[in-house]
Amino acid sequence: MEETLQSARPFEQFVLLSVVELSVKGETPAHSYDVAETARDRLDDVDREPFGGVERQEVISALRALAEEDVLAKDRTESATGKGRPAYELAVDADTVLDNLEDAETVGSYAEALRADA
């Protein structure tokens, strides 16, 4: 798992930390728009050079990639209109993610901030 987390693209790591934040708050499984909103709120906590802003479609792609790597678990929830929507939650322990990403060049400060908030 360590190699998977450390070899993920910086944007995927950023999205994963947003899911960790939602998980700590008890707000998972989370939909892509919740993850994107959380990520946007944390842009100042990371070195944005590698990826700039946060587009929902990019968040969706990152969530899918992390689910394929078994870092996230994919669930389906039902919206108020009865549509099934994918939702994501951690498939690994939050501390494992933080331990592996605290030293990451791009997102390490975000991981440290989450550890301090916990």
Side-chain angles (χ1 to χ4, degrees), residues 18-110:
S18 297
V19 176
V20 169
E21 182 172 353
L22 290 165
S23 179
V24 168
K25 292 178 179 178
E27 298 177 10
T28 54
H31 296 108
S32 61
Y33 51 84
D34 296 319
V35 177
E37 184 177 311
T38 300
R40 282 187 204 102
D41 290 344
R42 287 295 194 149
L43 272 174
D44 290 338
D45 291 339
V46 297
D47 175 6
R48 291 188 266 179
E49 285 301 313
F51 47 82
V54 176
E55 299 298 326
R56 186 158 170 236
Q57 193 56 47
E58 289 178 88
V59 170
I60 291 169
S61 294
L63 289 168
R64 285 182 184 149
L66 291 164
E68 286 175 10
E69 292 291 332
D70 296 323
V71 176
L72 295 178
K74 187 175 179 181
D75 196 2
R76 289 199 73 75
T77 61
E78 201 168 293
S79 70
T81 60
K83 290 184 179 181
R85 295 213 167 121
Y88 298 87
E89 60 188 337
L90 293 174
V92 297
D93 184 64
D95 285 330
T96 300
V97 175
L98 297 177
D99 290 345
N100 282 283
L101 297 183
E102 277 181 325
D103 294 328
E105 184 177 328
T106 309
V107 298
S109 56
Y110 186 9

Side-chain angles (χ1 to χ4, degrees), residues 6-19:
Q6 292 176 356
S7 67
R9 294 177 329 166
F11 189 76
E12 289 171 356
Q13 293 173 340
F14 181 54
V15 168
L16 178 59
L17 287 170
S18 297
V19 176

